[in-house]
Amino acid sequence: MSDAAARTPHGGAVNDGPAHPDILVAAIALIRDRRVLMVTARGRDVWFMPGGKIDPGESEADAAAREAWEEVAVRLDPAALVPLFTVLIQAHGEPDGRLVRMAVFGAETADDPAASAEVSAVHWASSADEDRCPPAGVEVLRRLHAADLID
């Protein structure tokens, strides 16, 4: 194909699809006393949902449970996680147009979450903490608040 064939009539390049694939992640929403568990990753200053990228061949629930163990030392049964919603929004710290697609699962445990090697601190957040969060965290807080699950 010639260079001219790969350009629009206005000289711009033809976009054959998304420039950046969505970042696929899974997270847990562990709620206690009308607050949701969030974490600060080492070397970061914003609060995130406990979660992370989904490994190849891994289900969303399996990824959420694995990440809960890795980040906050909470053992969860993937089969017991409750799908709440999926957030699709601009990814924090990524080029414009790069989206994060985060599957959020409700979780329950009697365990006390604790910071792991990947996490410097745990926090119990309410909707008043939006200013501490990247876009995906803000959206999660708004949805949990709208569902009357957190203050």
Side-chain angles (χ1 to χ4, degrees), residues 10-68:
H10 304 289
V14 171
N15 184 355
D16 292 331
H20 306 286
D22 294 349
I23 301 169
L24 305 177
V25 301
I28 62 160
L30 180 60
I31 298 170
R32 290 188 183 158
D33 300 322
R34 299 192 51 80
R35 296 188 179 277
V36 65
L37 180 68
M38 298 190 90
V39 299
T40 304
R42 296 217 180 271
R44 307 294 287 278
D45 61 351
V46 295
W47 293 9
F48 293 92
M49 299 300 297
K53 291 181 182 174
I54 301 167
D55 290 340
E58 188 175 45
S59 74
E60 292 173 337
D62 287 339
R66 175 183 50 77
E67 289 285 348

Side-chain angles (χ1 to χ4, degrees), residues 107-148:
E108 292 184 14
T109 181
D111 294 345
D112 287 324
S116 72
E118 295 180 12
V119 170
S120 60
V122 297
H123 315 278
W124 292 98
S126 73
S127 61
D129 295 307
E130 285 185 8
D131 62 327
R132 299 175 181 268
C133 302
V138 170
E139 183 63 20
V140 169
L141 290 179
R142 287 179 180 170
R143 290 187 188 194
L144 294 174
H145 185 256
D148 198 32

